Amino acid sequence: MRSAFLTMFIKEIKSIIRDPKILITMIIVPIVLTGLMYGIMGAMTTQAVKQAMKPGGEILLVDLDHGYWAENFTNYLASHKYTVIKYNDIDSAIKNYDTALCILVIPKGFSENLTRGYRAYLKIYYKIRGISFTSMMTGYKIYGVIGQYSDMISKHILEKAGLSPEYVSSPVNSTSNIVIGNTIIKNIDPSQVTGPLLILGLFIPLIIGLLAGFVAQLSATSIAVEKEEKMLETLLTLPLSRFSLIAAKVAAAFIVSLIGGGAYFVIMAWYFSQISSLGPANNNASSIALSALMKAVGIQTPILLIVAGFGTLFLALGIAILLAMFVDDVRSAQIISGYIIAPLMLSIFIGLFLDITSMSPIQQTAIAVIPFVNLVFILNLGLTGNVTAQLVVAFSSWAYAIIVLYVASRIIGTEKIFTMKLFKRKRRTSYSFHLLTR
Amino acid sequence: MPTLVVEVNDLQKVYPGGKKALKGLSFTVREREIYGLIGPNGAGKTTTLRILATILEPTSGTARIYGYDVKSEPEKVRRLIAYLPEEAGAYKYLTGLEFLDFIASFYAEDEQAKRKMIQEAWKISGLGIRIKDKIKTYSKGMLRRLLIAKTLMIHPKLAILDEPTSGLDVINSTRIRRIIKKYAKEYGVTVLLSSHNMLEVEYLCDRVGIIHEGRVVAEGSPAELKKKYEAENLEDVFTKIVGGEEI
């Protein structure tokens, strides 16, 4: 015969899947909204960057110079797929300025300055059409073209004078080498290494934070559902141990949260891959950096990160269950789980701004006992070689989780689950009192 | 000497905040008996039933079911009882059948026994094909019949029913009373119930305990009580003991 745990677990899964309060409001809607948000952001960013990088567009040109270089520049624009519409004066250009990229004014003396070896200036009139990423990126295209034209002229001048353009443009240069632990990665742009490292250090704790929020909300709701549907009294009299009751709720909330968290992970990974594909790709450098990082932080770091991550999840879940025992309905449970999720996410973000690498090992170990936020420290603790503090993070996360879950199971084993109330709704106060004292 | 199913001795319950719900309550319930607890609002009926159902803990005194102490041996007690709270509900996103399956799974020893329990509950509930509908579509009467069915289908040694017909219309109330009486007799189920409805108590109960301010102030069969208090019915007995305002 099915065990009491399994019976309760199956019921929990059925309730979660069928209850629109849980399925739609807590799982489907947030995932769809997040997917949509990231989808739109990703598509817009990609579109904006592509638009900005694509040459071409309409330019309203007011040539007041009429010299050789003015004509040369106009031809340069036309050869780079820009449609040049000429106007005799600025006023008429402004009057007709609608969808064009900008108004470009070549002032009198432009050609003469360049010919004499002086710096020449162009005037740009750029219309702000709206505060959109695409419009701003598109507007900046003109500066890129002017920069390219300027480089071309200086190259030409320098070559004519017998000088190396590379030498003149940057006589002093540098190459970057990154040291992670004992590994040196030569000739690499620091951003190519710090980017993936930041994603690694931020991404995993963020996903764990999201999962913890999910688990907290689901488990708090699943406890409150028993009260709201007036099943708690019946449930407490069934031959079902309180441990099995809690364990079944925890397991069901955990599994559904993992599925939900998995969906978030896919959405965020897809978004980051979209964004990172826009920049210069150097997968080799990133993978070298990651393997060097793994070597530097030690094999214990990812293991302890997972261990501490699960400890944090159970801690969030325990707190949620504990608080949900004292509320009467799903709405209150969802509000109360919000009290857990908000500080949890905030503490993870605070952790990102703390540089613990400059602290002494004792200070690092002391700070490692702060729950939730300590998840973010594991990677940095690995870099500083403080394995003791990493172990403190993992063990303290589990210690807190066990203490909270123990307290929760003790409370559910007593009548306190029935008699204590954290939040009494005004309209129900007299009713609750009546129920308890009859 | 009949076996004592329920033995409550000098039971006291003080709620957090100091409210004294029970002040030395004592009574016994014999095997196969239907025992009714009656009393005014706030007398301690529900508190007593909740203590016997292992939901609340007594502050002092003892409560035993088949000799098992409700405070120190609640797991053993829970295997013997079935409790129907007054304000009971059911998982509204399960069907009636799934709900019965859920409850039966805790008691049945094998699949066959479980199927038998569910079939019996189906019959008791009288829900027909509506048993396959989601509980959220049930009327109050249908829900109460389903809950009575889940309580009786497991053939508990003791059924604890708190206001079994509370809030139901006459037809549904009568139907539930008949079910309780029939199943208690047929399967030898001992029933401890509380009610405000004196007609119900007179119809169902072999013995009655009248609770007032946390104590049993009178006990006996409806006939004995009526004779002792020279009353025509239990309602008069109740009013004479508890007192009532003249209109």
Side-chain angles (χ1 to χ4, degrees), chain A residues 18 226 242 415 436 438, chain B residues 15 57 78 86 91 98:
Chain A
R18 291 182 188 176
E226 301 296 348
R242 303 294 153 92
E415 66 175 35
L436 291 170
R438 234 172 340 155
Chain B
Y15 281 109
E57 289 166 7
R78 284 177 202 135
E86 183 190 354
Y91 301 113
E98 284 171 333

Side-chain angles (χ1 to χ4, degrees), chain A residues 29-56:
Chain A
V29 171
I31 289 175
V32 169
L33 283 181
T34 311
L36 270 175
M37 189 184 80
Y38 279 113
I40 291 167
M41 273 166 60
M44 297 279 278
T45 313
T46 312
Q47 180 67 22
V49 172
K50 278 183 183 165
Q51 186 71 27
M53 286 165 77
K54 196 173 111 188

Side-chain angles (χ1 to χ4, degrees), chain A residues 1-2 11 18-20 226 229-231 233-234 236-239 242 415 418 431 435-436 438, chain B residues 13 15 47 50 53 56-57 78-79 83 86-87 89 91-93 98 105 107-108 110 114 150:
Chain A
M1 218 26 226
R2 229 192 268 154
K11 192 286 293 175
R18 291 182 188 176
D19 190 342
E226 301 296 348
E229 297 196 344
K230 299 189 173 85
M231 269 300 292
E233 271 188 273
T234 304
L236 294 177
T237 61
L238 293 175
R242 303 294 153 92
E415 66 175 35
F418 211 73
Y431 167 76
L435 260 183
L436 291 170
R438 234 172 340 155
Chain B
K13 177 66 189 173
Y15 281 109
T47 299
R50 279 179 177 160
L56 296 178
E57 289 166 7
R78 284 177 202 135
R79 291 224 69 92
Y83 175 54
E86 183 190 354
E87 293 279 338
Y91 301 113
K92 54 180 181 249
Y93 293 103
E98 284 171 333
S105 297
Y107 297 94
D110 51 42
K114 190 169 85 173
K150 75 90 192 160

Side-chain angles (χ1 to χ4, degrees), chain B:
Chain B
M1 183 79 182
T3 308
L4 291 180
V5 176
V6 179
E7 293 167 84
V8 174
N9 192 22
D10 196 23
L11 203 63
Q12 302 210 23
K13 177 66 189 173
V14 183
Y15 281 109
K19 164 86 182 168
K20 283 185 182 174
L22 301 179
K23 300 168 186 171
L25 185 95
S26 300
F27 68 96
T28 55
V29 181
R30 299 166 199 146
E31 202 165 38
R32 293 171 174 261
E33 188 176 48
I34 301 182
Y35 187 97
L37 279 177
I38 55 174
N41 289 335
K45 302 186 297 293
T46 297
T47 299
T48 307
L49 298 189
R50 279 179 177 160
I51 289 174
L52 289 169
T54 73
I55 296 169
L56 296 178
E57 289 166 7
T59 307
S60 66
T62 57
R64 291 177 184 278
I65 290 172
Y66 277 100
Y68 296 120
D69 188 272
V70 294
K71 191 174 179 181
S72 57
E73 299 164 293
E75 287 85 9
K76 286 175 181 164
V77 171
R78 284 177 202 135
R79 291 224 69 92
L80 301 172
I81 63 163
Y83 175 54
L84 176 65
E86 183 190 354
E87 293 279 338
Y91 301 113
K92 54 180 181 249
Y93 293 103
L94 297 188
T95 65
L97 213 51
E98 284 171 333
F99 180 69
L100 293 175
D101 182 284
F102 168 70
I103 298 290
S105 297
F106 291 104
Y107 297 94
E109 283 176 3
D110 51 42
E111 275 299 320
Q112 201 186 345
K114 190 169 85 173
R115 272 200 299 275
K116 207 177 153 196
M117 279 183 187
I118 295 169
Q119 284 299 325
E120 199 169 320
W122 194 346
K123 200 174 126 196
I124 296 170
S125 70
L127 286 170
I129 55 162
R130 291 296 309 276
I131 199 90
K132 290 177 182 170
D133 291 345
K134 293 236 171 81
I135 292 170
K136 66 175 180 172
T137 65
Y138 289 6
S139 67
K140 199 172 178 182
M142 287 165 76
L143 175 65
R144 202 67 183 166
R145 267 149 54 198
L146 180 76
L147 292 171
I148 285 279
K150 75 90 192 160
T151 309
L152 297 176
M153 74 175 176
I154 61 165
H155 300 158
K157 292 279 185 189
L158 172 69
I160 303 172
L161 314 175
D162 193 0
E163 303 277 357
T165 58
S166 166
L168 296 183
D169 59 35
V170 178
I171 308 248
N172 275 307
S173 299
T174 312
R175 186 171 187 165
I176 282 172
R177 272 179 221 133
R178 281 193 194 131
I179 292 167
I180 295 168
K181 193 142 190 160
K182 182 173 177 252
Y183 275 80
K185 278 223 158 62
E186 219 167 280
Y187 295 102
V189 176
T190 306
V191 177
L192 170 62
L193 60 86
S194 79
S195 182
H196 278 116
N197 187 328
M198 299 302 145
L199 281 174
E200 178 172 285
V201 172
E202 213 165 333
Y203 170 76
L204 280 174
C205 298
D206 301 309
R207 281 196 308 139
V208 174
I210 298 174
I211 306 187
H212 187 46
E213 292 177 348
R215 290 186 188 90
V216 173
V217 289
E219 194 181 37
S221 68
E224 283 169 357
L225 288 171
K226 281 191 278 186
K227 192 178 169 189
K228 188 177 173 184
Y229 291 94
E230 294 171 343
E232 277 184 22
N233 51 44
L234 268 185
E235 219 158 49
D236 289 340
V237 175
F238 185 79
T239 314
K240 279 184 178 174
I241 295 170
V242 174
E245 285 175 22
E246 293 289 333
I247 297 170

Side-chain angles (χ1 to χ4, degrees), chain A residues 292-346:
Chain A
L293 178 76
M294 282 302 128
K295 215 167 135 188
V297 298
I299 189 69
Q300 84 285 350
T301 299
I303 295 169
L304 290 175
L305 183 60
I306 293 166
V307 172
F310 274 98
T312 304
L313 285 180
F314 277 103
L315 175 59
L317 190 144
I319 296 171
I321 286 177
L322 200 58
L323 294 175
M325 283 180 192
F326 306 124
V327 297
D328 275 338
D329 50 46
V330 170
R331 203 175 130 204
S332 305
Q334 289 180 343
I335 292 169
I336 211 167
S337 55
Y339 297 156
I340 305 164
I341 297 163
L344 191 151
M345 296 307 280
L346 186 70

